[in-house]
Amino acid sequence: MNVGIIGALGYSGEVLVKRLLVHPQVNLAAVTSRQHAGKVLSKMMPTVRGTAADRLLFVDSDAAALAARNDIDLWFLALPHGGAADFAKVLVPAGRRVVDLSADFRITNLATYENYYGKHHAPELLPGARYVQPELTDPAWQETIKIAAVPGCYPTSTLVPLVPLLKAGLVSREHIVVNSFSGVSGAGKKNDEFYLFVERAESAKAYGLVKHRHLAEIEEQLALLTGAKTIIQLNPHLAPMRVGIATTITVPAAPGATLDSVYETWHKTYAGRPFVCLLPPGDMPDTAYVMGTNRVDISAIYDVRTNNFIFTSAVDNLVKGASGQAVQIMNLWSGFPETAGLF
Amino acid sequence: MNVGIIGALGYSGEVLVKRLLVHPQVNLAAVTSRQHAGKVLSKMMPTVRGTAADRLLFVDSDAAALAARNDIDLWFLALPHGGAADFAKVLVPAGRRVVDLSADFRITNLATYENYYGKHHAPELLPGARYVQPELTDPAWQETIKIAAVPGCYPTSTLVPLVPLLKAGLVSREHIVVNSFSGVSGAGKKNDEFYLFVERAESAKAYGLVKHRHLAEIEEQLALLTGAKTIIQLNPHLAPMRVGIATTITVPAAPGATLDSVYETWHKTYAGRPFVCLLPPGDMPDTAYVMGTNRVDISAIYDVRTNNFIFTSAVDNLVKGASGQAVQIMNLWSGFPETAGLF
Amino acid sequence: MNVGIIGALGYSGEVLVKRLLVHPQVNLAAVTSRQHAGKVLSKMMPTVRGTAADRLLFVDSDAAALAARNDIDLWFLALPHGGAADFAKVLVPAGRRVVDLSADFRITNLATYENYYGKHHAPELLPGARYVQPELTDPAWQETIKIAAVPGCYPTSTLVPLVPLLKAGLVSREHIVVNSFSGVSGAGKKNDEFYLFVERAESAKAYGLVKHRHLAEIEEQLALLTGAKTIIQLNPHLAPMRVGIATTITVPAAPGATLDSVYETWHKTYAGRPFVCLLPPGDMPDTAYVMGTNRVDISAIYDVRTNNFIFTSAVDNLVKGASGQAVQIMNLWSGFPETAGLF
Amino acid sequence: MNVGIIGALGYSGEVLVKRLLVHPQVNLAAVTSRQHAGKVLSKMMPTVRGTAADRLLFVDSDAAALAARNDIDLWFLALPHGGAADFAKVLVPAGRRVVDLSADFRITNLATYENYYGKHHAPELLPGARYVQPELTDPAWQETIKIAAVPGCYPTSTLVPLVPLLKAGLVSREHIVVNSFSGVSGAGKKNDEFYLFVERAESAKAYGLVKHRHLAEIEEQLALLTGAKTIIQLNPHLAPMRVGIATTITVPAAPGATLDSVYETWHKTYAGRPFVCLLPPGDMPDTAYVMGTNRVDISAIYDVRTNNFIFTSAVDNLVKGASGQAVQIMNLWSGFPETAGLF
């Protein structure tokens, strides 16, 4: 199967290129760039020198021309929000499948989207789009959609531990506090003084309080997947590391809930899922251990003094938090083994 | 004034040496080491080569001999808990003042201490000891005590923002969630595989859940300073940086409390205090900005969706979180300018 | 083909495990540990949770028992020097092939070995062993040997650029100065205060001057591969990064040699070799670009003011500098595609 | 004494501000900024919150107006080359002393300057300017000059070890190879993708080969200070750290030279100099140990196999390599203690 990437030169795009180059079932047949059309991919992405990327040339980012390519079945969009919708509205009518890493199709409710992101460029496509957290979204999505929206990094690290427990009624829907520490690549490749090495090394700090954009999709998914509106406090932070997200969720236990019932619920939900790894209480996930993998490591502990559960999780923000998950979605959608290309 | 340090070779001890070497009112007259007695200080601490540390020899850690030195007015103890009490019980009866960086005299309630740390080596000294958070502890301490206990790093970053607001009734005493990210030096200089460069670089993770030892002093001080028992959730984390603590406190607003009232209370409490810096809402403290300084930067924001306040703070864990604060305490205790030696 | 690893828990061992777990032609059938026999591999190596390592148990490091396993064709030794020879002298007589990552079989000349490393534990095996720098060693090794010695990290980054040019007579054999900067993992997983995160972060420094052990194999290979004794200055340094080696070689140009002739010689030597990548003059290799890959990136520049060539190279010390190269050697030795398992 | 800084917002400017704020003999009376005139210094430089910088406002960068201020005796220029000369040509005729951190007055020979930097903006000032490496330049400079040029970071780390040995005839003037590893702040605060955290972390690489601009001043000073033209190979590299330069110099020993004679010469040259620290052979300087200090640590070792000496040095590129040295120069020029403000 031939696939293409629109927007390969950001951090997510680069991880996507690497995964697709070694994927046994697909062929990376096109990468696009307005600015670099005609150049060799590996010239612009030195980490993939010595691979097929030495023989792949950027093609122009012309949506109509790309949509006309009959050889390409599925396109990955690794673009800023807004731009993704602009491409999708040409590719989808041409019958192409789209896996979108931007926020454009993550929010079902148009008003919510526009509250967080501004005007939507292609609201008419929303009914054919679906937010796909592969471990949580109803598998029927594979039959029905045209656009798969890949969850963001904070949402993945939050939804995977929390959703099954909310559904099972094991935790409160109030006083949920989510603190996340993200590697600097989470901000994308931005030419901003704030992201210079000298500024970020030795720096830990909160940012984006109190209305980070990922709130929109987390809270909408909490409602859709668990059946009731749920408001959370999301405190994002930056840590001086390249990749990774460590998330710590504090939430009051529901009456009668025990640590055992938490682990049982998780086991039931994630049995056989290759990318969710349950750690025993007291063994807290570490971003270094998931780096480069498509795993979410999760763990729980109960504090008898406060009656809170504390759930901790770790993902690689560029892999399970973006491009690895995108490949996982493609695998499921295409009938490939779920782990293909995702070692 | 001559001062001495017992236990100079840890990370806190090193910062203490540096501060005392440039302090205009004191002379670092003794550093002790059982293992290195007779060696030159700067041989064991290469960061202070080229200073008076080239001419200062370690003396043996013999408590009686140290207590007998009439030339030394005040001793800093930069030792593990237990060891500090062992020295204090010889130094104090000899009439020496003690500034202790360990946990031994931080906890007023003996049962609490022994619950968290095990048997106390010198409980008879507790009545003459005082926990001194210079910006919060009643200044009468300067007249009455023999041992000043220097607050830990997590406590300083938590108490400074939280205490005035609890006293003023602006925040709930329930559902207080404290998440802190600490640089690796917070763990001390430990020969443990876990703290190797290759293990910690690129790693963010929670640890010490759910009963970190600093809980004992935070909760006791919250009770003593604000007049009511207050239980908190403390979630400590490690971040891949050498120094610094970034703390984020989520707490429900009390009825009627506003962001303005928070800042007013802080202004009233900290007006004229040289080491507390209030940042405007939306400007979150950054550990890189306090690195090497004795400052606590604090900021607040209100989330109308959740009715929570989020307070953020940053300190250098080795300076305001340990040795800088120890020097500040010595300054106040000795009638020196509060900022002496603390640029 | 079934393979085993003796000594999987160091940094090289871990990379080896990861590569073998995804290798299409081999099955990682055994990992050994004296201390952890019976435990699950992924419990001790959290980076490979969620893979076949969840179902692989450590077996005891009993050489005789391992040698008796008829199902395992080839063993990787990822052990300190000395220990490797101890295993090899049991495995080789039992007919097993050995790929050794230690120094034990890298030095042909026994006196040289013992000068640098002390007494050899199995000198009788040296005739059946061969130093295999896959791009440089005569391919006849594949037919004739029992033990393949994997080159060290500094040697790979030095030999690949230098050997073809010395053979072609393009550079002086005198005044060769090699400066290398290595990531901290190059020292292995050592519980030594020197390697703690707080000590190494923000530290660049020379070490191991002037007789680093890798000199022994570099100079012996320079002699064997280029036909004349050649003495070099090797200045190793540590840089505050997890992995990678950046090597810079300064060497006077031979009379008549030009930058063009350097590149021509390199092109001729490395045409079709998948893991050597030539960068144009002025485009200097970067350890970040080879991280996780089995590539050596090399580049050359000429300084008319000094008549020196400067050759720069970069490898991932744990991949092309150790375990990736070990897999590449296994691939060639076993008739697999050279790049199998080495994306 | 009142001093001012033109260009305080770069990395060197920031270190300069910090040193001057605690300097016992001087008062930082002015900082300038075209863009931020009227703003409070500590708003733009959060690391100095809580100091006198809270009460110091930026003034406009108007050269004539600055030159007219009779209250300011000495100006530091922390500007790019070209810009520094533009200010100097107004300040100097007005009788102000200038300490310039740029390259504008480092090169005595105008043709050399223009070869490396392009057209000089104020060549008429060159006769009144002097390159001041405080430990090496003839002290007569203090009586005769109007502009002191502060040496660059690579030059300081190279000249301090090398100059006395060349003068004493202990080392060859040929085949001198200098490899330096610099922290990322060495490049200045540049909004360039290359300097982003994600790009530089885990990256070691050579750059600026083969004609780095610092060659101009190193080679001119080698000639002026040692009496003979000397060509060197300078290989600069970047290491993933905020500050620091580690330099390693390989040079053939002159006939009869010994390691003892090297140390004797260094001792004679640097006896009583507070900022040069000689380490014994085998104890290699470490950038972490000089971080934040104005020291140069140097060490030597001899390799009998190659007849080379290897000299290693470490400085903090922003302190001894820039702003600390600038303050040291001001101290000497003004009759203050050499170490004032430089703990």
Side-chain angles (χ1 to χ4, degrees):
Chain A
M1 185 171 99
N2 281 331
V3 301
I5 302 173
I6 301 177
L9 286 175
Y11 294 130
S12 304
E14 182 166 352
V15 171
L16 199 47
V17 165
K18 289 184 193 172
R19 288 299 183 265
L20 293 174
L21 285 173
V22 300
H23 195 290
Q25 275 88 6
V26 308
N27 174 44
L28 177 56
V31 291
T32 80
S33 167
R34 198 149 282 150
Q35 201 183 343
H36 300 294
K39 289 191 194 160
V40 168
L41 172 55
S42 65
K43 293 280 175 208
M44 306 304 302
M45 194 181 285
T47 52
V48 292
R49 286 172 185 149
T51 69
D54 291 344
R55 296 171 296 280
L56 191 61
L57 306 187
F58 283 102
V59 295
D60 194 18
S61 300
D62 180 76
L66 300 175
R69 286 189 58 168
N70 287 317
D71 61 320
I72 298 196
D73 299 293
L74 182 152
W75 288 92
F76 292 95
L77 306 183
L79 296 165
H81 65 91
D86 291 340
F87 278 90
K89 70 183 170 194
V90 183
L91 295 169
V92 168
R96 307 296 165 234
R97 288 188 291 160
V98 167
V99 176
D100 178 24
L101 286 97
S102 87
D104 277 350
F105 301 100
R106 288 181 188 160
I107 318 290
T108 302
N109 184 294
L110 182 60
T112 304
Y113 178 90
E114 300 200 329
N115 179 16
Y116 280 82
Y117 293 96
K119 198 161 171 44
H120 200 293
H121 293 206
E124 70 279 12
L125 298 181
L126 285 172
R130 191 70 182 276
Y131 188 90
V132 181
Q133 181 66 53
E135 291 81 8
L136 294 170
T137 304
D138 179 344
W141 68 267
Q142 301 172 30
E143 314 303 328
T144 57
I145 66 167
K146 294 170 174 170
I147 301 174
V150 183
C153 45
Y154 291 121
T156 296
S157 72
T158 303
L159 296 172
V160 169
L162 205 49
V163 163
L165 307 178
L166 280 167
K167 280 172 76 172
L170 297 175
V171 296
S172 164
R173 287 188 187 266
E174 302 209 316
H175 300 298
I176 301 178
V177 179
V178 178
N179 279 265
S180 286
F181 270 70
S182 170
V184 182
S185 63
K189 203 184 277 188
K190 280 195 204 132
N191 260 1
D192 181 327
E193 206 171 88
F194 182 80
Y195 297 107
L196 293 177
F197 181 87
V198 177
E199 305 301 314
R200 288 304 96 215
E202 289 290 312
S203 162
K205 69 163 293 177
Y207 78 98
L209 303 179
V210 290
K211 200 183 158 190
H212 190 282
R213 283 171 163 172
H214 282 177
L215 258 182
E217 66 188 272
I218 296 175
E219 292 188 346
E220 187 179 77
Q221 288 299 315
L222 288 179
L224 294 175
L225 293 170
T226 76
K229 182 169 178 176
T230 310
I231 297 298
I232 67 165
Q233 193 71 53
L234 173 64
N235 300 329
H237 301 72
L238 280 181
M241 54 193 191
R242 299 167 82 251
V243 298
I245 285 192
T247 289
T248 298
I249 305 169
T250 304
V251 53
T258 64
L259 200 53
D260 281 351
S261 59
V262 164
Y263 275 89
E264 263 168 52
T265 301
W266 279 352
H267 274 295
K268 227 178 309 174
T269 310
Y270 297 122
R273 300 311 304 240
F275 296 122
V276 180
C277 186
L278 312 187
L279 310 192
D283 190 356
M284 266 78 77
D286 186 325
T287 60
Y289 293 162
V290 295
M291 186 165 45
T293 80
N294 200 47
R295 291 205 324 267
V296 201
D297 284 2
I298 61 177
S299 186
I301 199 163
Y302 175 70
D303 188 347
V304 65
R305 299 167 57 261
T306 57
N307 189 39
N308 286 330
F309 286 118
I310 296 102
F311 307 120
T312 46
S313 68
V315 298
D316 183 321
N317 60 312
L318 298 180
V319 186
K320 184 61 176 169
S323 302
Q325 191 142 267
V327 171
Q328 182 186 0
I329 289 168
M330 175 195 71
N331 288 342
L332 294 168
W333 205 359
S334 310
F336 305 147
E338 187 170 358
T339 58
L342 298 166
F343 25 87
Chain B
M1 184 170 97
N2 282 330
V3 301
I5 302 173
I6 302 176
L9 287 174
Y11 294 131
S12 303
E14 181 165 353
V15 171
L16 199 47
V17 165
K18 288 184 193 173
R19 288 297 184 265
L20 294 173
L21 284 174
V22 301
H23 196 289
Q25 274 87 7
V26 308
N27 173 44
L28 178 56
V31 290
T32 80
S33 167
R34 199 149 280 151
Q35 199 184 343
H36 300 295
K39 288 190 194 160
V40 168
L41 172 55
S42 66
K43 292 278 175 212
M44 306 304 302
M45 194 181 285
T47 53
V48 292
R49 287 172 185 150
T51 70
D54 291 344
R55 295 172 295 281
L56 192 61
L57 306 187
F58 283 102
V59 295
D60 194 16
S61 302
D62 180 76
L66 300 175
R69 286 189 59 167
N70 288 317
D71 61 320
I72 298 195
D73 299 293
L74 182 151
W75 288 92
F76 291 95
L77 307 182
L79 297 165
H81 66 88
D86 292 341
F87 278 91
K89 70 183 172 194
V90 182
L91 294 170
V92 169
R96 307 296 166 236
R97 287 188 291 161
V98 167
V99 176
D100 179 23
L101 286 95
S102 87
D104 277 351
F105 302 100
R106 288 182 190 160
I107 318 289
T108 302
N109 184 295
L110 183 61
T112 304
Y113 178 90
E114 300 199 330
N115 178 17
Y116 279 82
Y117 293 96
K119 200 164 169 42
H120 200 291
H121 293 204
E124 69 279 11
L125 297 181
L126 285 173
R130 191 69 182 275
Y131 188 91
V132 181
Q133 181 67 54
E135 291 81 8
L136 293 171
T137 304
D138 178 345
W141 69 268
Q142 301 173 30
E143 314 303 327
T144 57
I145 66 166
K146 293 170 175 170
I147 302 173
V150 183
C153 45
Y154 290 121
T156 295
S157 72
T158 304
L159 296 172
V160 169
L162 204 49
V163 163
L165 307 179
L166 281 167
K167 281 172 76 170
L170 297 175
V171 296
S172 164
R173 286 190 187 266
E174 302 210 316
H175 300 297
I176 302 179
V177 179
V178 179
N179 279 264
S180 287
F181 270 70
S182 171
V184 181
S185 62
K189 203 184 275 188
K190 280 194 202 132
N191 260 0
D192 182 327
E193 205 170 90
F194 182 79
Y195 297 108
L196 293 176
F197 181 87
V198 178
E199 304 300 313
R200 288 304 97 214
E202 289 289 311
S203 162
K205 70 164 292 176
Y207 78 98
L209 303 180
V210 291
K211 201 183 159 190
H212 190 280
R213 282 170 162 174
H214 282 178
L215 258 183
E217 66 188 274
I218 296 175
E219 292 188 346
E220 188 179 76
Q221 289 299 315
L222 288 180
L224 294 175
L225 292 170
T226 76
K229 182 169 178 177
T230 310
I231 298 298
I232 66 166
Q233 193 71 52
L234 173 64
N235 299 330
H237 301 72
L238 281 180
M241 53 193 191
R242 299 168 82 249
V243 297
I245 286 192
T247 289
T248 297
I249 305 169
T250 304
V251 52
T258 64
L259 200 52
D260 280 351
S261 59
V262 164
Y263 275 90
E264 263 167 51
T265 301
W266 278 353
H267 274 294
K268 228 179 307 173
T269 310
Y270 297 122
R273 299 312 303 241
F275 296 122
V276 180
C277 186
L278 312 187
L279 310 192
D283 190 356
M284 267 77 79
D286 186 325
T287 60
Y289 293 161
V290 295
M291 186 165 46
T293 81
N294 200 48
R295 290 206 324 269
V296 200
D297 284 0
I298 60 177
S299 186
I301 199 162
Y302 175 70
D303 188 347
V304 67
R305 299 167 57 260
T306 59
N307 188 40
N308 287 329
F309 287 119
I310 296 102
F311 307 121
T312 46
S313 68
V315 298
D316 183 321
N317 61 311
L318 298 179
V319 186
K320 184 62 177 169
S323 301
Q325 191 142 267
V327 171
Q328 182 187 1
I329 289 168
M330 175 195 72
N331 287 342
L332 293 168
W333 206 359
S334 309
F336 304 148
E338 186 169 358
T339 58
L342 297 167
F343 28 87
Chain C
M1 186 170 97
N2 281 330
V3 301
I5 303 174
I6 301 176
L9 285 174
Y11 293 131
S12 303
E14 182 166 352
V15 172
L16 198 48
V17 165
K18 288 184 193 172
R19 289 297 183 264
L20 294 173
L21 284 173
V22 300
H23 195 290
Q25 274 89 7
V26 308
N27 173 45
L28 177 57
V31 291
T32 81
S33 167
R34 197 150 281 150
Q35 198 183 343
H36 299 295
K39 288 191 193 158
V40 168
L41 172 54
S42 66
K43 292 278 176 214
M44 306 304 303
M45 193 181 284
T47 52
V48 292
R49 287 172 185 150
T51 70
D54 291 344
R55 295 171 296 278
L56 193 60
L57 306 187
F58 283 102
V59 295
D60 194 16
S61 301
D62 180 75
L66 300 175
R69 285 189 59 168
N70 287 317
D71 61 321
I72 297 196
D73 299 292
L74 181 151
W75 288 91
F76 291 94
L77 307 182
L79 296 165
H81 66 90
D86 292 341
F87 277 91
K89 70 183 171 192
V90 182
L91 294 169
V92 169
R96 307 296 165 237
R97 287 188 292 161
V98 167
V99 176
D100 179 23
L101 286 97
S102 86
D104 278 350
F105 301 101
R106 289 182 189 158
I107 317 289
T108 302
N109 183 294
L110 182 61
T112 303
Y113 178 91
E114 300 199 330
N115 178 18
Y116 279 82
Y117 292 96
K119 197 161 172 44
H120 200 292
H121 292 204
E124 70 278 12
L125 297 181
L126 285 173
R130 191 69 181 276
Y131 188 90
V132 180
Q133 181 67 53
E135 292 82 8
L136 294 170
T137 303
D138 178 344
W141 69 266
Q142 302 173 28
E143 314 303 327
T144 56
I145 67 166
K146 293 169 174 170
I147 302 173
V150 183
C153 45
Y154 290 120
T156 295
S157 72
T158 303
L159 296 172
V160 168
L162 205 49
V163 162
L165 307 178
L166 280 166
K167 279 173 77 171
L170 296 176
V171 296
S172 163
R173 286 189 187 267
E174 303 209 315
H175 301 297
I176 301 179
V177 179
V178 178
N179 279 265
S180 286
F181 270 71
S182 171
V184 181
S185 63
K189 203 183 277 188
K190 278 193 204 134
N191 259 2
D192 181 330
E193 206 170 89
F194 182 79
Y195 297 108
L196 293 177
F197 180 87
V198 179
E199 305 300 313
R200 288 304 95 216
E202 288 290 310
S203 161
K205 68 164 294 177
Y207 77 98
L209 302 180
V210 290
K211 202 183 158 190
H212 190 281
R213 281 169 163 174
H214 282 177
L215 257 183
E217 66 187 274
I218 296 174
E219 292 188 347
E220 188 179 77
Q221 288 299 315
L222 289 179
L224 294 174
L225 292 170
T226 75
K229 183 170 177 174
T230 311
I231 298 298
I232 66 164
Q233 192 72 52
L234 173 64
N235 299 329
H237 300 73
L238 280 181
M241 54 192 190
R242 301 168 80 250
V243 297
I245 285 192
T247 289
T248 297
I249 305 169
T250 304
V251 52
T258 64
L259 199 53
D260 280 351
S261 58
V262 164
Y263 275 89
E264 263 168 51
T265 301
W266 278 352
H267 273 294
K268 228 179 307 173
T269 310
Y270 296 123
R273 299 312 304 240
F275 296 123
V276 179
C277 185
L278 312 187
L279 309 192
D283 190 357
M284 265 78 77
D286 186 324
T287 60
Y289 293 161
V290 295
M291 185 165 47
T293 80
N294 200 47
R295 291 205 323 267
V296 201
D297 283 1
I298 59 177
S299 187
I301 199 163
Y302 175 70
D303 189 347
V304 65
R305 299 167 58 260
T306 57
N307 190 38
N308 287 330
F309 287 118
I310 296 102
F311 308 120
T312 46
S313 68
V315 298
D316 182 319
N317 61 310
L318 298 179
V319 185
K320 184 61 177 169
S323 302
Q325 191 142 267
V327 171
Q328 182 187 1
I329 289 169
M330 175 195 72
N331 287 342
L332 293 168
W333 205 359
S334 310
F336 304 147
E338 186 169 359
T339 59
L342 298 166
F343 27 87
Chain D
M1 185 170 97
N2 282 330
V3 302
I5 303 174
I6 301 176
L9 286 175
Y11 294 130
S12 303
E14 182 166 352
V15 172
L16 200 48
V17 165
K18 288 184 193 172
R19 289 297 184 263
L20 293 173
L21 284 174
V22 300
H23 195 289
Q25 275 88 7
V26 307
N27 174 42
L28 178 56
V31 291
T32 80
S33 167
R34 197 148 284 151
Q35 200 184 342
H36 300 295
K39 289 191 194 160
V40 168
L41 172 54
S42 66
K43 292 279 176 210
M44 306 304 304
M45 194 182 283
T47 52
V48 292
R49 286 172 186 149
T51 70
D54 290 344
R55 295 172 296 280
L56 192 61
L57 306 187
F58 283 102
V59 295
D60 193 17
S61 302
D62 179 76
L66 300 175
R69 287 189 57 168
N70 288 318
D71 61 320
I72 298 195
D73 299 294
L74 181 151
W75 288 92
F76 291 94
L77 307 183
L79 296 165
H81 65 90
D86 291 340
F87 277 90
K89 70 183 172 192
V90 182
L91 294 169
V92 169
R96 308 296 166 233
R97 287 187 292 160
V98 166
V99 176
D100 179 23
L101 286 97
S102 87
D104 277 351
F105 301 100
R106 288 181 188 159
I107 317 289
T108 302
N109 184 295
L110 182 60
T112 304
Y113 179 89
E114 300 199 330
N115 178 17
Y116 279 83
Y117 291 96
K119 196 158 172 48
H120 200 293
H121 293 205
E124 70 279 12
L125 297 181
L126 285 173
R130 191 69 182 276
Y131 188 91
V132 181
Q133 181 67 54
E135 292 81 8
L136 294 171
T137 303
D138 179 344
W141 68 267
Q142 302 172 30
E143 314 302 327
T144 56
I145 67 165
K146 294 170 175 168
I147 301 173
V150 183
C153 46
Y154 291 121
T156 294
S157 73
T158 303
L159 295 172
V160 168
L162 205 49
V163 162
L165 307 178
L166 280 167
K167 279 173 78 171
L170 297 175
V171 296
S172 164
R173 286 190 187 267
E174 303 209 316
H175 300 297
I176 302 178
V177 178
V178 178
N179 279 264
S180 286
F181 270 70
S182 171
V184 181
S185 62
K189 204 183 276 188
K190 278 194 204 134
N191 260 1
D192 181 329
E193 204 170 90
F194 183 80
Y195 296 107
L196 293 176
F197 180 87
V198 179
E199 304 301 311
R200 289 302 96 216
E202 288 290 311
S203 161
K205 68 164 294 175
Y207 78 98
L209 303 180
V210 291
K211 202 183 158 190
H212 191 281
R213 282 171 162 172
H214 281 177
L215 257 183
E217 66 187 274
I218 296 175
E219 292 188 347
E220 188 180 76
Q221 288 298 315
L222 289 178
L224 293 175
L225 293 170
T226 76
K229 183 170 177 176
T230 311
I231 298 299
I232 66 166
Q233 193 71 53
L234 173 64
N235 299 329
H237 300 71
L238 280 180
M241 54 194 190
R242 299 167 82 249
V243 298
I245 286 192
T247 289
T248 296
I249 305 169
T250 303
V251 51
T258 65
L259 199 52
D260 281 351
S261 58
V262 164
Y263 275 91
E264 264 168 51
T265 301
W266 278 353
H267 274 294
K268 228 178 308 172
T269 309
Y270 296 123
R273 298 312 304 241
F275 295 123
V276 179
C277 185
L278 312 186
L279 309 191
D283 190 355
M284 266 77 77
D286 187 325
T287 59
Y289 293 162
V290 295
M291 186 165 47
T293 81
N294 200 47
R295 290 204 325 266
V296 200
D297 284 1
I298 60 176
S299 185
I301 199 163
Y302 175 70
D303 188 348
V304 66
R305 300 168 57 262
T306 58
N307 189 39
N308 286 330
F309 286 119
I310 295 101
F311 307 121
T312 47
S313 68
V315 298
D316 183 319
N317 60 311
L318 297 180
V319 187
K320 184 62 176 169
S323 301
Q325 191 141 268
V327 171
Q328 182 186 2
I329 289 169
M330 175 195 71
N331 287 343
L332 294 168
W333 205 0
S334 310
F336 304 146
E338 187 170 358
T339 59
L342 297 167
F343 26 88

